[in-house]
Amino acid sequence: MVSIEEVTVDVETIEGAIDFAAIFGYERPVEMEIGCGKGTFLLRQARGHPERNYFGIEWANEFFRYSADRMARWGVTNVRMARTDARHLMIHRVPVGSLSALHVYHPDPWPKKRHHKRRLFTPEFVEAAIRALRSGARWAIQTDHAEYFEVIRGLTAGRQELEPVAFDDAEYGAEGERTETNFEVKYVREGRPIHRLAFRRR
Ligand SMILES: C[S@@+](CC[C@H](N)C(=O)[O-])C[C@H]1O[C@@H](n2cnc3c(N)ncnc32)[C@H](O)[C@@H]1O
């Protein structure tokens, strides 16, 4: 049994750059999921890959508590979760080359023009995420929102640090075996198209 306190990390109490080895207590490849919602993807991946560490970021308190409680009940020891703004954390606190994978599934699209500034994907965020990925790391992005997808594509296209790769990957779950997120399940059931991108950091 793992306590919820062991799963959660208050990043406000840490000064400067995030030290993942100190947070987890041991050095292993770190995969980050931004906006993990109810934590289905994070939990399955963490259980399937005890040799990797998983750092989940969720802004909404309700989902953060729900996910952290889930991790604790399943007793996973390779997950830590922070309740914070992932864009700010990525730009200011995540060390260069510290991530072996970055998962962003169904980021809030903020469809109204006056809300676009709240979106996760900005030029600064993409710059910081590229910096944070170590060589060979994977960045997978998925959304149901066509216009936001074009924005994300525009921000990542032509970046020579990012080599486009297949979304389905044996290491991260091949087609049909890949862990679906809660939103993915819902939208696929509704017949909505899902847009996907994956990169390997050169
Ligand atoms: C549409 S939901 C998708 C949840 C999950 N990834 C899925 O696919 O089922 C987006 C989630 O991202 C969280 N979120 C949005 N902006 C965020 C930010 N800047 N930092 C951390 N979490 C954020 C929201 O609270 C929400 O839980």
Side-chain angles (χ1 to χ4, degrees), residues 33 35 37 57-60 63 84-86 105-106 108 181-183:
E33 187 188 7
I57 308 178
E58 175 50 56
W59 174 247
F63 292 127
T84 193
D85 172 16
Y105 304 129
H106 301 274
D108 287 334
T181 74
N182 290 87
F183 272 72

Side-chain angles (χ1 to χ4, degrees), residues 6-7 24 42 46 53-56 71 76-81:
E6 288 171 280
V7 174
F24 284 94
L42 198 63
N53 283 334
Y54 288 86
F55 193 79
M71 306 303 152
V76 286
T77 56
N78 57 337
V79 176
R80 298 290 182 276
M81 290 197 57

